[in-house]
Amino acid sequence: MFTNRPAMQKGPAANVPQGQTKLSEHEKDFIRIRDAVQEKLLADNNNDATLEIKHLRSMIDTCFNEVLEEEKILYNHSTRNQMLEWITADIVGYGPIEPLLNDPEITEIMVNGCDQVYVERRGLIELTTVRFENNSHLMRIIDRIVSPIGRRVDESSPMVDARLPVGYRINATIPPLSLNGPVLTIRKFATIPFTVQDLISNGTLTLQLANFLKCCVEARVNLVVSGGTGTGKTTFLNVLSSFIPIGERVITIEDTAELQLHQPHVVRLEKRPPNIEGKGEISIRQLVINALRMRPDRIVVGECRGGEALDMLQAMNTGHDGSMTTIHANTPRDALRRIETMVMMAGMDLPLKAIREQVASSMELIIQLERLKDGTRKIVKVSEVQRMESDTIVMQDLFVFQQTSFNNGFIQGVHKPTGLRPHFMDKFVANGIQVPDEVFDKHNTPI
């Protein structure tokens, strides 16, 4: 809607009521024409809400031309098309953020109230010139996003997680929880999933490291992808999942379905939130327990956040080798601590030593991702979980990212093996997988 405009005036001098933006004459024209198109559309349509989008867009085009003719408004071809695009997006689409959703370079959209919209582009956050008329306008767009999938957001339920039909993840938080007005966050995903070649080209990992991780997946090593928010954990888990042999039955369990596996035998499960009465919730933990009865070869959990970590560990220990998940943590060691904490959340009252023994015998490899200062995502460590010694879990780093320089705003570095070999080498042998010795040679030049 309102793009490529001068920065909006801020503070008391703007003299704008809270929850409302100060509009330019061009923007006021847009609102006037849009409202006239809507009135004409409703009159011509007899309030029929069952029209197909394609037919509705055609009717909007017709009504738009009629309004311009009636009000004797003349635009050049470019301005006319832009105005029609804005109006169509506002009536049947996602309003001002529609162009941002269609921009392939944008990976995250953050709406902080009606007059402030940030985006993440190439890993860096920047302020845009996009804005909404007022908070009511923003709330209409939020309702348009969540209503088709049976979710709601209001004062009694002021937070909601949802997803767009294309798979983008949505979170909306509204007053009284948000003091900035309605807040909308959209995490975008590539419509065509990233491949391992894409990640190698982006510098996320090297060919040598990619081949090692491929061998680990094929040898059914239990993997955890660890990292902070926005580091690319789900994207990388999707790439790892592509290495799973096509003859295996895979069950994916997610809070919001994001994984895009292309194996022929995949069963996808998704958590169900409570209904309007607060009943009917199906948690990730219930889905993991249920998946154990579905004869899986592997279980892939989009993210462990609570008590399901215990059931995931048990699955890895009871014949479901090669299972994978992601977890929020800053280091591989922190990932183990978080898993311990989440197992305690399962309410089983297990002693800490028993939990650590379970973790040490289940988890085998932790892949640590990080979003660096220049916005790039990289694997910074690949660590093996070895065994228990006394009350401590022993770990060793197999690969680390070493920064060599910082030039022109970009971080330069290499992924280097530490020279240590993993203790699960017998799994490679058992599965007939050949891993060259050069992979672990710390003097070897990374490929």
Side-chain angles (χ1 to χ4, degrees):
M1 175 183 167
F2 305 142
T3 57
N4 300 322
R5 71 191 198 297
M8 187 181 61
Q9 190 175 7
K10 301 282 185 179
N15 195 25
V16 179
Q18 186 177 6
Q20 184 172 325
T21 57
K22 186 175 182 180
L23 305 178
S24 68
E25 291 302 319
H26 186 57
E27 293 166 342
K28 290 177 182 176
D29 286 344
F30 161 78
I31 294 172
R32 181 166 52 84
I33 295 172
R34 181 203 62 191
D35 292 346
V37 169
Q38 284 179 323
E39 290 177 9
K40 187 175 287 290
L41 192 65
L42 290 172
D44 294 348
N45 195 31
N46 295 321
N47 292 323
D48 183 3
T50 62
L51 286 176
E52 293 184 359
I53 291 295
K54 187 176 180 181
H55 187 202
L56 195 55
R57 288 178 182 274
S58 177
M59 292 183 67
I60 291 171
D61 195 345
T62 302
C63 293
F64 176 70
N65 290 330
E66 291 175 359
V67 169
L68 294 185
E69 188 174 337
E70 289 171 4
E71 301 201 10
K72 296 181 174 57
I73 299 174
L74 186 63
Y75 288 126
N76 62 41
H77 184 71
S78 175
T79 304
R80 180 202 171 280
N81 288 344
Q82 182 71 75
M83 189 71 77
L84 177 60
E85 183 182 323
W86 285 345
I87 290 172
T88 303
D90 214 57
I91 295 176
V92 298
Y94 302 114
I97 59 174
E98 184 106 350
L100 306 181
L101 289 168
N102 295 330
D103 187 339
E105 289 191 346
I106 292 174
T107 53
E108 193 123 20
I109 301 169
M110 295 150 277
V111 182
N112 304 337
C114 61
D115 61 349
Q116 193 179 69
V117 179
Y118 285 87
V119 297
E120 181 189 79
R121 198 190 305 268
R122 293 183 291 276
L124 301 176
I125 294 176
E126 59 187 56
L127 179 64
T128 71
T129 56
V130 173
R131 62 182 179 180
F132 294 79
E133 295 169 45
N134 47 44
N135 284 338
S136 297
H137 183 206
L138 175 52
M139 280 301 303
R140 287 200 304 274
I141 299 301
I142 292 175
D143 286 334
R144 190 175 298 163
I145 290 171
V146 303
S147 296
I149 57 174
R151 306 284 175 92
R152 66 188 180 93
V153 58
D154 50 37
E155 284 193 9
S156 63
S157 180
M159 295 186 299
V160 66
D161 288 314
R163 73 171 184 271
L164 293 176
V166 292
Y168 299 160
R169 188 168 66 198
I170 307 293
N171 176 270
T173 306
I174 68 170
L177 298 186
S178 167
L179 304 182
N180 294 53
V183 175
L184 177 65
T185 310
I186 303 176
R187 172 75 58 83
K188 293 176 61 179
F189 301 97
T191 51
I192 301 175
F194 281 97
T195 64
V196 67
Q197 288 81 8
D198 294 326
L199 298 189
I200 292 171
S201 300
N202 294 340
T204 302
L205 73 169
T206 61
L207 177 60
Q208 176 178 292
L209 182 51
N211 286 332
F212 170 73
L213 294 177
K214 180 175 184 291
C215 291
C216 290
V217 174
E218 292 175 346
R220 303 178 67 88
V221 173
N222 293 324
L223 299 169
V224 176
V225 180
S226 170
T229 300
T231 54
K233 296 185 300 298
T234 302
T235 297
F236 193 72
L237 183 64
N238 207 58
V239 169
L240 287 176
S241 301
S242 69
F243 299 143
I244 297 175
I246 60 173
E248 297 186 11
R249 174 176 170 87
V250 183
I251 297 181
T252 67
I253 300 170
E254 300 176 81
D255 192 352
T256 302
E258 300 167 9
L259 295 173
Q260 303 176 58
L261 275 66
H262 293 289
Q263 284 84 351
H265 199 165
V266 177
V267 177
R268 304 176 72 200
L269 304 179
E270 184 181 46
K271 167 189 170 183
R272 186 176 75 181
N275 60 21
I276 195 170
E277 298 175 350
K279 300 177 180 178
E281 179 180 13
I282 304 296
S283 66
I284 296 285
R285 185 175 187 198
Q286 289 172 287
L287 291 177
V288 173
I289 295 171
N290 184 70
L292 297 175
R293 306 186 185 107
M294 298 173 68
R295 202 270 176 215
D297 286 313
R298 301 188 195 226
I299 298 175
V300 179
V301 178
E303 182 180 344
C304 278
R305 298 182 180 178
E308 65 270 10
L310 173 60
D311 304 291
M312 188 69 186
L313 293 178
Q314 291 178 336
M316 290 175 172
N317 259 337
T318 54
H320 304 95
D321 291 345
S323 294
M324 312 174 193
T325 188
T326 72
I327 188 171
H328 278 81
N330 292 327
T331 66
R333 176 64 66 179
D334 287 344
L336 294 184
R337 295 193 185 102
R338 281 218 65 208
I339 292 170
E340 292 172 10
T341 303
M342 290 188 294
V343 170
M344 293 177 183
M345 293 168 63
M348 301 299 290
D349 198 24
L350 297 171
L352 183 58
K353 186 172 182 179
I355 294 173
R356 288 180 176 172
E357 287 174 347
Q358 183 90 323
V359 171
S361 63
S362 304
M363 300 294 181
E364 293 178 280
L365 201 66
I366 298 178
I367 303 163
Q368 184 70 34
L369 285 163
E370 194 172 310
R371 184 172 60 181
L372 304 181
K373 185 178 180 181
D374 60 356
T376 59
R377 279 95 166 169
K378 293 188 186 296
I379 293 178
V380 293
K381 276 187 182 180
V382 177
S383 302
E384 181 192 14
V385 181
Q386 293 186 316
R387 62 191 180 278
M388 281 282 292
E389 281 189 6
S390 184
D391 290 335
T392 305
I393 300 175
V394 177
M395 302 178 68
Q396 68 174 10
D397 295 336
L398 302 178
F399 297 86
V400 295
F401 176 75
Q402 295 179 354
Q403 181 176 334
T404 56
S405 62
F406 186 80
N407 295 323
N408 300 321
F410 291 97
I411 290 175
Q412 308 294 326
V414 292
H415 290 90
K416 295 277 291 183
T418 61
L420 301 174
R421 300 167 69 87
H423 280 54
F424 51 75
M425 288 293 292
D426 57 326
K427 284 196 170 186
F428 295 146
V429 176
N431 287 275
I433 297 171
Q434 298 292 328
V435 181
D437 291 337
E438 301 82 54
V439 169
F440 307 108
D441 186 358
K442 64 181 179 181
H443 302 295
N444 187 36
T445 303
I447 301 174

